[in-house]
Amino acid sequence: MRLIGRNGSSSLAIERIGLERSWGDVYHFLLTISWTGLLLLVIGLYLFANVFFAGLYLLGGDAILNARHGSFEDAFFFSVQTLATIGYGVMSPKTTYGHIIASIEGLVGWSGFALATGLMFAKFSKPTARVLFSDVAVINQSQGRPTLFFRTANRRRNQIFEAQVRLTLARDETLPNGEFMRRFYDMKLVRGQTSIFALTWTIMHVIDEESPLFGQTSESLAESQTELIVTLTGLDDTVSQNIHARHSFIASEILFEHRLTDIITRTPEGRRILDYSRFHDVEALVAQPETAPPR
């Protein structure tokens, strides 16, 4: 089970039934669909409107001046001119019926373009985070204590101020009375916030007696369908708006006795190099030595 998708969106692994469809959330739906979906929807509505009004003009008989009688092509392109308020002047309403339909189409046209413009601006200006998370989380010994590690990075060439990370563990449990429940546990981090998040950040959680990971194995995590849910918030210094990022690790993505590969090296001249091509790399540990936190 995955509650959060790999791209940070809500997972589709859970099927929802019994909810009534509501058309009152159309705005939210249009803001959350992809740009491709939105553009295809706008184009489809635009073509449908012109076909619909072209049919109305044809129903009125000879309602368009200088249009060929019964020509759907002329009626369609006259509808395009009216809907978009282009008005080339070659064709115009000829009858009262034609003027009425053109007036209605003009109202639909400017209101529709206003709504589409506002929607696209809202979607374009919506603050988004370009945050990268490591593909897996690892558990190994650090300073004599088992510790969970995973890595995150800011993919933009800017800074995120007052960044905060929260880590939650979700798993299936059977209560003493036999009741099944999906329970959530907040996990304490070694450092859950940073004043400036510009490059990379290794998140650490010490697995002590109070940790929900205490005494767990790969098999027990898989059996309880354990998932680690990560949320990151902060203030983008470019747009001065709060941004949010989400990620999750399922049981198969939590590796015991592994460590994250160091991605910061130094040149002979002393310059530091950050190698993002190794961001997701891990190394298996044969023994259990104390390891310094990866950078």
Side-chain angles (χ1 to χ4, degrees):
M1 179 184 297
R2 185 189 291 276
L3 298 180
I4 304 298
R6 298 295 302 182
N7 61 353
S9 62
S10 297
S11 174
L12 299 180
I14 301 177
E15 181 181 357
R16 302 182 181 185
I17 62 175
L19 289 176
E20 296 182 359
R21 294 184 179 273
S22 173
W23 293 100
D25 235 3
V26 174
Y27 179 71
H28 179 269
F29 167 76
L30 294 176
L31 281 182
T32 54
I33 64 174
S34 65
W35 273 103
T36 301
L38 178 62
L39 292 175
L40 290 176
L41 180 62
V42 170
I43 293 173
L45 290 175
Y46 177 77
L47 293 176
F48 172 79
N50 284 298
V51 169
F52 175 76
F53 280 103
L56 291 181
Y57 288 123
L58 292 178
L59 288 177
D62 194 17
I64 305 173
L65 185 64
N66 296 327
R68 291 170 293 180
H69 181 72
S71 172
F72 177 80
E73 180 182 355
D74 287 356
F76 178 83
F77 287 114
F78 175 70
S79 174
V80 170
Q81 297 175 28
T82 304
L83 191 69
T85 65
I86 297 173
Y88 288 120
V90 176
M91 294 184 289
S92 61
K94 182 178 180 180
T95 63
T96 302
Y97 174 85
H99 281 286
I100 293 175
I101 299 301
S103 300
I104 296 174
E105 185 174 11
L107 175 64
V108 172
W110 66 257
S111 58
F113 282 118
L115 289 173
T117 301
L119 181 63
M120 289 187 177
F121 177 78
K123 191 173 181 66
F124 183 80
S125 61
K126 184 176 63 174
T128 57
R130 295 277 291 172
V131 176
L132 181 67
F133 292 91
S134 55
D135 285 342
V136 297
V138 299
I139 295 176
N140 59 61
Q141 294 288 326
S142 176
Q143 299 180 354
R145 299 180 297 180
T147 305
L148 171 78
F149 298 90
F150 62 90
R151 192 154 48 198
T152 182
N154 182 11
R155 301 179 66 175
R156 292 194 173 114
R157 297 179 180 272
N158 69 345
Q159 296 177 345
I160 299 175
F161 296 136
E162 302 301 329
Q164 298 186 27
V165 168
R166 292 191 60 184
L167 181 62
T168 303
L169 181 142
R171 67 185 175 201
D172 297 341
E173 292 186 2
T174 301
L175 303 183
N177 61 1
E179 180 182 357
F180 170 83
M181 180 178 293
R182 182 78 173 170
R183 301 196 67 175
F184 294 80
Y185 298 88
D186 292 330
M187 303 176 66
K188 184 179 179 180
L189 302 177
V190 174
R191 182 166 63 95
Q193 61 181 18
T194 181
S195 56
I196 297 178
F197 178 32
L199 299 175
T200 65
W201 183 5
T202 299
I203 313 299
M204 297 181 290
H205 164 75
V206 177
I207 305 175
D208 53 19
E209 290 81 0
E210 297 180 356
S211 169
L213 286 175
F214 184 74
Q216 298 294 313
T217 63
S218 297
E219 293 75 16
S220 64
L221 294 182
E223 183 180 355
S224 61
Q225 297 192 49
T226 295
E227 181 176 5
L228 298 179
I229 304 170
V230 188
T231 58
L232 186 148
T233 60
L235 182 67
D236 191 301
D237 74 331
T238 302
V239 296
S240 297
Q241 290 182 304
N242 290 324
I243 57 172
H244 310 266
R246 298 174 297 173
H247 190 75
S248 73
F249 301 97
I250 58 176
S252 61
E253 296 165 348
I254 304 173
L255 306 181
F256 286 76
E257 301 307 327
H258 283 71
R259 70 182 298 271
L260 299 172
T261 302
D262 287 338
I263 60 175
I264 297 180
T265 58
R266 289 185 179 271
T267 65
E269 296 78 17
R271 293 176 54 246
R272 290 190 300 175
I273 297 178
L274 183 61
D275 187 1
Y276 283 98
S277 65
R278 304 175 64 190
F279 186 83
H280 303 287
D281 292 353
V282 296
E283 302 170 0
L285 300 177
V286 178
Q288 300 182 13
E290 292 190 2
T291 57
R295 296 169 289 176

